Amino acid sequence: MESLMKEYAAFEEKVKRTILIDSLSPAATEAVVRASLDQFGNVIQVKFIPNYLEPKTVGLSALVELENADQAKTIISEISSSSFMICGMPRPVRARAAEVEMFDDRPIKPGRKIVCRWLDSSDPDFEVTEKIKHLVSKHAEEAKFCLKHQLEEEENLAKKQTEILNAAYKKYELIDSVVGNRVAERLSERYRVHVANAEQH
Amino acid sequence: MALVEVGKEESLVGLDKDEEVEFVWGRKRGIGGKRKEVQFYESFIYDGVEYTLYDCVYMHKEGEHPYIGKIIKIWENPDKSRKVKIQWFFRSTEILYHLKDVKVAENEVFLASGEGTGLANVNPLEAIAGRCNVICTSEDIRNPQPSDEEVKLADYVFYRAFDVGTCAILDKMIDKVGGLDVKYVFNRKDSEKASHVLKFASDKKDNKTAMEYRANGESSGLKPQNHAKVSHLLGKSDVDGQSSLVRQDVQRDTNVSSVNQETVKEVNYVPGEKNSHDLGVAKVAGKSSHLVGRNDVDAQSSPIREDALHGDANDSQNEQQSTMKGNDAPVLVVNSKIATTIVHNQNTSSEENALYTVKNDKKVNTLSIELLVAGERGKPSKDLGILDDRPSKRIKVNGSVTLSEDKGGDSVQKFTVCTNDKEVMGTGATPSEERKKSGDSKLSGGLDKNMQNRNDGAALDIRPPKKAIIDSVKVKEDRDRGNMSIGKLVDNIGKLPKLSAGVSPKEVERMGGKSFIITRRPIAESSKWFEAPPWEEVLQTSNLERALILLENLNPEYTSGEVEDIIWHACRENCTAKMVQRTAFSSPYSGRALVAFKTREAAVRVSKKLTEGCLMVSNQRPLVASFVTLPKTEGNTPSFAGHLCVDKLRLQSQREMKEAVSTSHCSQPNTIEHEMGFEWRLLQSRSDSWWNRLYKQQKDELRKIASELKRK
């Protein structure tokens, strides 16, 4: 019994020094995550949380175990305060403290006793439980919808940003080309406008 | 009998129905009270379970955990109200405040000591909810040390006391613990006696394998016959000539008590073992065999129940003769052959636990023997049913039972077990002659023998009270149907692989309305011998088979193993479960689990049960099950919104990605990506906030509905 408690205490310590990184690109591998976080602390282990049920377009999540709880805290504040990007831009990843329920291999909490009971339709509570079941299903739908909504929002934002990016790129390309083929220089000479780039030559 | 069961259930709620619950006083002790009007007792039988002074019991209490206490006084008031005085055990949770940083094992309890409130209380006897197996693990030399086995099987252990006056934890037991003599605090000597017997049995394995056991009734005219080799046992049975006593001991020793329905006498067994090369086997087998006696008449008449039968895988012929010989009453001989299968245990070569149930109906000399041989099979319990038809290996049982009924108690019980044909020839001479004389034609007893696998005899210990009831219900049903298997919840506290017999869905349904505590399911242990296939594989197979179920409304704290246990205990189906790990978008209040079954049929059964019925977990979470299929995974890496690339540079950047080891950075404030990253952060906070709101609202809704539940 004691050993179970010890095991669980050790596990709780592990939870404290672990962080959850989410919104990871599917292209991110363990090596990538490890390398990108190694600058803040000593990464012990990276474990991706498998996503069985949600659409695959949801960003990946990974549990990253660090050397100690302090490092974990530092990383969380570091990542949250800046736009920390892994494997792509500009969508940053998020970090938060890990929770027990995020772990797949969590040990059974000592002392927990689960009591089950079958209710049949004659039970006075049966109707209420039917209601609860219904509500649970409804909640699952709500969550599903919410997630869908979130993915749409993400999609929209990404689309918008792609446009901005492409527009910006076009603009810079144009500028680059006029600078590159000396059109800018010539124009500045003609209009006697001071051009910084041209000046340097 | 169903009525009795119902009565018991109800008595847990309201005590007014106790007339329906079977009740018999045991031995008287003394008389007390001012006018000598109070009768004290030493034991009593309540709802088929015998309780004796200083037994540990569960006391009924609203809520999840019943109180645990030790019976220190039993009496009946002049107004016929039955009382017990209970000295309490404290659970660690009850004295958490005073424990401070004292380390406490999960199943450790503390005996109340000292003086003051909380030490002991007088309770109506009917408040007893069942027996509780509490073992004293104190290293005090006065304490008969329990075996590891016993400790493992114990519901609770204790070695320390809690002083209710000073609120201190006492590491040592002094001579008196709260007024109770310390010898009643420690384990009983009886159990030690029993273990002698067991050891003895195993020691003798290569000796003569046939043993005779005679229990002599008190007033029997026959001389007690002692056999040196079974001296321990005989010594005991002589002393315990009064059969009720015998029974007590047997119960205590073998933990069978919960099965006993009625006034029963049990005589314990002599396990004869042959060809067993492992001493450990013998011991285990001996320990786990029981006999359960049952007597519908009363405590006086002597139904006899004997013993355990050990088979060996190599040679599975066992001959058993049990002879119960009376003074001058009609003789009944039952001669039968039983085919059974000897099943291999996984770690021991072969092990058989036998459980015989003899029922003695009235004084009509019909004797029916129900023989349950429990063996063990490593894997699924489904196919462990009635094994009579199995051709593979057989135990031949020649039971010659001669039973006499006279005034009761005056019978001599003789019992012989042989496990070897040769031995039967040798030692069985007398009995077989007797048998011939008495003539097989007199065979009139309804004899039905059920073979059944049972994992460990100790499975019959009383765990939580309600479970005991379930078990007994089943036992009874079996009897009624005459051939069904006994289903048994096996508590798997220890590491011993245990297995319980297959339970038909019907039996499970019968558990309706009764709570059961989820413990580790047996298969979980035996799987240690096999490399479990990786979850991904199981999942994909199950997905293809369309045998994948999503369970919702679980307590998110549960582990995958616990979910498997729940399914096993509730539906008797094996499965592989995986809690869906929480991510940033998961509900913190409601957990989900993927449950993969081997076959579609099993999944349908479970899903149907959970959908049509209702499985309440921890009294507030009805489980919701639905079939799911996993979304197909395409070969390509799925798209991911938000990682942009200028179209023209895409090719180039992909190449760079492959070469790069680390592609992370903190964006600088003067870049375009920083600005965009900021937009993402905004979206993330918005998303966080809507998830929080959603889940909070859902939690409130659930709580509101749950408040309508009548039984909390």
Side-chain angles (χ1 to χ4, degrees):
Chain A
M1 220 36 78
E2 198 127 303
S3 69
L4 282 183
M5 305 230 319
K6 245 182 219 159
E7 189 194 345
Y8 198 78
F11 168 69
E12 279 181 322
E13 280 307 305
K14 183 181 165 184
V15 172
K16 277 183 202 152
R17 56 172 188 264
T18 304
I19 59 170
L20 177 81
I21 304 276
D22 79 298
S23 301
L24 274 169
S25 151
T29 61
E30 191 190 319
V32 169
V33 176
R34 185 185 285 269
S36 55
L37 294 179
D38 250 344
Q39 52 187 308
F40 302 107
N42 215 345
V43 177
I44 307 285
Q45 195 186 30
V46 177
K47 259 195 177 170
F48 284 92
I49 294 183
N51 168 17
Y52 296 117
L53 299 165
E54 318 305 351
K56 300 294 175 200
T57 40
V58 176
L60 297 186
S61 304
L63 289 167
V64 181
E65 185 187 346
L66 294 143
E67 206 167 39
N68 54 50
D70 287 342
Q71 285 184 4
K73 258 182 222 150
T74 322
I75 295 199
I76 291 170
S77 71
E78 202 61 55
I79 291 183
S80 310
S81 61
S82 65
S83 299
F84 187 68
M85 300 166 191
I86 296 181
C87 246
M89 293 188 294
R91 185 175 172 181
V93 297
R94 279 195 300 188
R96 60 179 69 195
E99 289 157 43
V100 172
E101 289 81 10
M102 293 172 180
F103 288 79
D104 173 37
D105 51 354
R106 58 182 183 263
I108 291 174
K109 195 175 183 181
R112 176 161 56 223
K113 212 169 224 177
I114 305 174
V115 180
C116 288
R117 186 160 55 99
W118 279 105
L119 297 187
D120 52 29
S121 46
S122 60
D123 197 284
D125 282 340
F126 191 76
E127 217 170 291
V128 186
T129 57
E130 285 296 300
K131 269 196 232 165
I132 296 178
K133 280 167 146 184
H134 185 74
L135 192 62
V136 168
S137 308
K138 192 180 136 217
H139 286 170
E141 285 305 314
E142 283 173 5
K144 212 185 254 178
F145 178 80
C146 210
L147 192 63
K148 199 174 142 221
H149 175 70
Q150 167 163 325
L151 290 173
E152 275 167 11
E153 293 258 317
E154 287 172 356
E155 199 69 40
N156 287 341
L157 182 60
K159 227 180 252 170
K160 195 183 100 195
Q161 289 188 340
T162 313
E163 270 168 33
I164 294 171
L165 184 69
N166 281 334
Y169 183 74
K170 249 182 212 161
K171 193 173 84 188
Y172 285 123
E173 214 177 25
L174 187 69
I175 293 169
D176 200 43
S177 66
V178 293
V179 172
N181 56 21
R182 299 185 63 85
V183 172
E185 212 175 310
R186 273 181 282 147
L187 282 173
S188 68
E189 273 166 20
R190 163 144 327 171
Y191 295 105
R192 294 164 196 241
V193 179
H194 181 78
V195 174
N197 247 2
E199 191 91 325
Q200 282 169 6
H201 287 283
Chain B
M1 274 319 292
L3 259 178
V4 173
E5 292 311 318
V6 171
K8 166 83 180 184
E9 259 309 88
E10 282 169 1
S11 77
L12 294 175
V13 187
L15 300 175
D16 50 339
K17 295 261 177 83
D18 60 85
E19 302 81 29
E20 289 173 36
V21 180
E22 182 201 338
F23 185 87
V24 182
W25 281 117
R27 268 161 299 156
K28 292 182 177 177
R29 244 174 111 77
I31 291 176
K34 278 177 204 142
R35 291 193 299 272
K36 306 280 179 218
E37 73 282 29
V38 178
Q39 173 69 53
F40 289 97
Y41 290 92
E42 200 165 305
S43 65
F44 59 90
I45 294 166
Y46 179 62
D47 198 29
V49 181
E50 172 152 4
Y51 300 91
T52 314
L53 269 183
Y54 313 116
D55 274 355
C56 296
V57 291
Y58 287 111
M59 294 300 284
H60 184 255
K61 170 195 161 193
E62 290 293 325
E64 265 184 40
H65 301 295
Y67 292 121
I68 307 163
K70 204 182 210 10
I71 305 177
I72 54 172
K73 234 175 237 170
I74 307 167
W75 72 91
E76 186 175 45
N77 284 329
D79 62 355
K80 296 291 172 205
S81 63
R82 307 187 278 244
K83 298 286 181 192
V84 283
K85 189 172 183 187
I86 301 290
Q87 182 163 350
W88 298 111
F89 283 105
F90 293 104
R91 292 172 195 270
S92 56
T93 47
E94 291 167 323
I95 50 170
L96 217 49
Y97 178 78
H98 304 291
L99 278 174
K100 300 198 173 70
D101 53 353
V102 175
K103 282 265 184 297
V104 182
E106 190 201 347
N107 67 341
E108 186 184 343
V109 288
F110 297 85
L111 184 61
S113 70
E115 283 176 24
T117 35
L119 175 73
N121 288 105
V122 173
N123 281 286
L125 184 148
E126 292 78 11
I128 292 175
R131 288 174 68 116
C132 177
N133 185 10
V134 182
I135 294 283
C136 180
T137 54
S138 171
E139 284 167 6
D140 194 305
I141 48 161
R142 294 166 295 177
N143 181 34
Q145 292 298 309
S147 68
D148 289 352
E149 194 87 339
E150 283 170 313
V151 173
K152 274 181 193 165
L153 291 170
D155 295 326
Y156 294 93
V157 298
F158 77 100
Y159 64 94
R160 292 182 284 195
F162 179 76
D163 191 310
V164 292
T166 60
C167 291
I169 305 290
L170 309 173
D171 289 337
K172 286 243 162 60
M173 302 283 175
I174 37 171
D175 290 346
K176 292 239 173 194
V177 179
L180 183 66
D181 194 311
V182 76
K183 76 176 173 200
Y184 300 123
V185 170
F186 292 138
N187 297 324
R188 278 176 233 236
K189 293 255 163 55
D190 305 334
S191 53
E192 212 175 40
K193 237 191 245 168
S195 62
H196 281 318
V197 174
L198 294 169
K199 267 177 209 146
F200 167 75
S202 54
D203 289 340
K204 287 290 170 218
K205 69 182 170 74
D206 49 4
N207 255 327
K208 186 177 164 189
T209 53
M211 303 184 190
E212 289 192 18
Y213 170 71
R214 284 157 202 237
N216 296 305
E218 245 178 359
S219 50
S220 160
L222 294 177
K223 271 188 190 171
Q225 298 183 37
N226 289 359
H227 287 242
K229 278 175 185 157
V230 273
S231 54
H232 283 79
L233 189 56
L234 286 171
K236 188 172 137 213
S237 54
D238 283 345
V239 171
D240 300 342
Q242 189 132 23
S243 9
S244 65
L245 243 177
V246 174
R247 169 165 165 252
Q248 280 169 19
D249 293 334
V250 173
Q251 279 184 351
R252 218 167 285 137
D253 300 344
T254 58
N255 297 324
V256 208
S257 45
S258 67
V259 177
N260 301 328
Q261 281 291 316
E262 289 139 53
T263 19
V264 181
K265 272 155 258 173
E266 296 172 34
V267 183
N268 209 357
Y269 42 79
V270 182
E273 178 111 27
K274 179 206 150 209
N275 284 348
S276 171
H277 307 294
D278 185 357
L279 200 120
V281 175
K283 197 173 168 189
V284 173
K287 196 152 192 176
S288 51
S289 47
H290 338 279
L291 6 147
V292 179
R294 162 175 301 233
N295 186 349
D296 291 330
V297 187
D298 62 25
Q300 290 294 71
S301 52
S302 46
I304 296 145
R305 173 69 27 89
E306 307 275 271
D307 176 354
L309 169 64
H310 301 281
D312 189 288
N314 301 332
D315 166 359
S316 45
Q317 294 234 312
N318 288 1
E319 291 244 338
Q320 175 226 332
Q321 282 141 13
S322 66
T323 311
M324 301 165 199
K325 204 167 135 198
N327 286 342
D328 51 5
V331 177
L332 170 76
V333 175
V334 181
N335 209 340
S336 77
K337 279 191 181 180
I338 297 173
T340 187
T341 303
I342 296 178
V343 196
H344 290 259
N345 191 354
Q346 270 172 344
N347 46 358
T348 60
S349 64
S350 82
E351 173 180 334
E352 285 230 344
N353 309 326
L355 193 149
Y356 291 65
T357 314
V358 178
K359 187 160 124 195
N360 189 357
D361 278 326
K362 290 283 176 187
K363 290 181 181 174
V364 197
N365 287 316
T366 52
L367 173 75
S368 72
I369 297 180
E370 286 181 36
L371 171 62
L372 302 160
V373 173
E376 162 150 348
R377 172 160 294 198
K379 263 244 141 168
S381 50
K382 282 179 210 154
D383 54 341
L384 308 177
I386 303 152
L387 303 174
D388 302 50
D389 301 331
R390 301 257 178 120
S392 57
K393 294 176 181 172
R394 296 181 152 230
I395 300 176
K396 203 163 70 190
V397 178
N398 257 326
S400 89
V401 180
T402 319
L403 174 86
S404 94
E405 284 276 4
D406 45 20
K407 281 156 204 159
D410 290 359
S411 63
V412 175
Q413 301 156 14
K414 182 179 164 195
F415 188 68
T416 312
V417 181
C418 305
T419 52
N420 189 328
D421 285 334
K422 269 185 217 161
E423 314 270 359
V424 169
M425 298 301 187
T427 65
T430 324
S432 59
E433 267 172 32
E434 276 173 13
R435 194 172 66 225
K436 274 173 200 151
K437 270 182 220 158
S438 49
D440 290 1
S441 55
K442 288 193 181 174
L443 171 90
S444 62
L447 183 73
D448 62 90
K449 309 203 171 186
N450 296 338
M451 294 302 186
Q452 170 159 22
N453 280 350
R454 177 170 307 252
N455 174 323
D456 186 338
L460 295 185
D461 64 345
I462 358 165
R463 286 253 59 200
K466 289 178 183 165
K467 212 183 277 178
I469 297 167
I470 293 167
D471 296 336
S472 43
V473 169
K474 277 182 212 141
V475 170
K476 215 170 319 129
E477 282 165 7
D478 295 334
R479 189 146 317 169
D480 296 339
R481 274 176 292 179
N483 69 343
M484 281 287 41
S485 58
I486 287 187
K488 186 73 187 72
L489 288 175
V490 177
D491 284 317
N492 198 349
I493 328 161
K495 291 292 173 214
L496 266 180
K498 291 178 185 174
L499 184 87
S500 93
V503 178
S504 68
K506 222 177 172 185
E507 280 166 315
V508 173
E509 264 163 33
R510 248 182 221 118
M511 298 197 277
K514 289 172 187 166
S515 307
F516 44 101
I517 292 168
I518 304 297
T519 51
R520 291 324 308 267
R521 75 199 160 122
I523 204 73
E525 298 296 334
S526 60
S527 67
K528 274 181 191 164
W529 278 275
F530 299 104
E531 190 75 30
W535 162 247
E536 283 295 333
E537 205 176 281
V538 173
L539 180 74
Q540 295 305 337
T541 325
S542 166
N543 191 36
L544 285 178
E545 294 271 332
R546 295 185 302 133
L548 194 62
I549 283 183
L550 180 69
L551 278 189
E552 288 169 295
N553 203 24
L554 285 161
N555 181 340
E557 287 180 9
Y558 291 167
T559 62
S560 306
E562 281 169 311
V563 174
E564 287 169 6
D565 295 339
I566 290 175
I567 293 293
W568 192 85
H569 278 286
C571 305
R572 282 294 186 278
E573 298 281 357
N574 278 309
C575 63
T576 313
K578 203 81 173 170
M579 283 300 285
V580 176
Q581 288 166 265
R582 180 184 292 178
T583 63
F585 313 123
S586 316
S587 166
Y589 309 111
S590 173
R592 298 186 297 171
L594 280 170
V595 185
F597 292 90
K598 282 234 164 62
T599 59
R600 167 86 181 169
E601 291 74 45
V604 169
R605 275 198 297 275
V606 170
S607 151
K608 196 167 166 230
K609 264 186 153 172
L610 290 173
T611 315
E612 287 173 6
C614 172
L615 182 63
M616 274 298 242
V617 180
S618 301
N619 271 340
Q620 47 183 354
R621 288 175 181 272
L623 293 192
V624 178
S626 54
F627 276 96
V628 282
T629 42
L630 301 181
K632 282 205 180 98
T633 41
E634 282 102 43
N636 308 336
T637 34
S639 63
F640 181 68
H643 281 182
L644 308 180
C645 227
V646 179
D647 296 334
K648 287 184 182 168
L649 299 177
R650 184 152 285 167
L651 271 176
Q652 185 198 349
S653 75
Q654 271 173 0
R655 202 166 51 242
E656 274 170 8
M657 286 268 260
K658 273 177 197 152
E659 285 156 8
V661 180
S662 170
T663 50
S664 67
H665 67 289
C666 289
S667 64
Q668 298 305 309
N670 57 353
T671 59
I672 187 167
E673 85 242 16
H674 182 265
E675 202 175 298
M676 290 180 166
F678 197 74
E679 284 176 344
W680 280 101
R681 282 275 184 252
L682 258 174
L683 178 60
Q684 284 169 352
S685 338
R686 265 169 51 219
S687 131
D688 269 349
S689 108
W690 76 55
W691 284 113
N692 280 341
R693 281 208 316 269
L694 175 75
Y695 287 133
K696 191 173 173 297
Q697 188 193 330
Q698 292 188 345
K699 181 185 158 200
D700 292 344
E701 282 174 15
L702 274 176
R703 185 172 286 171
K704 204 175 137 204
I705 276 209
S707 67
E708 292 172 25
L709 285 175
K710 285 162 194 80
R711 177 164 161 180
K712 293 281 151 53

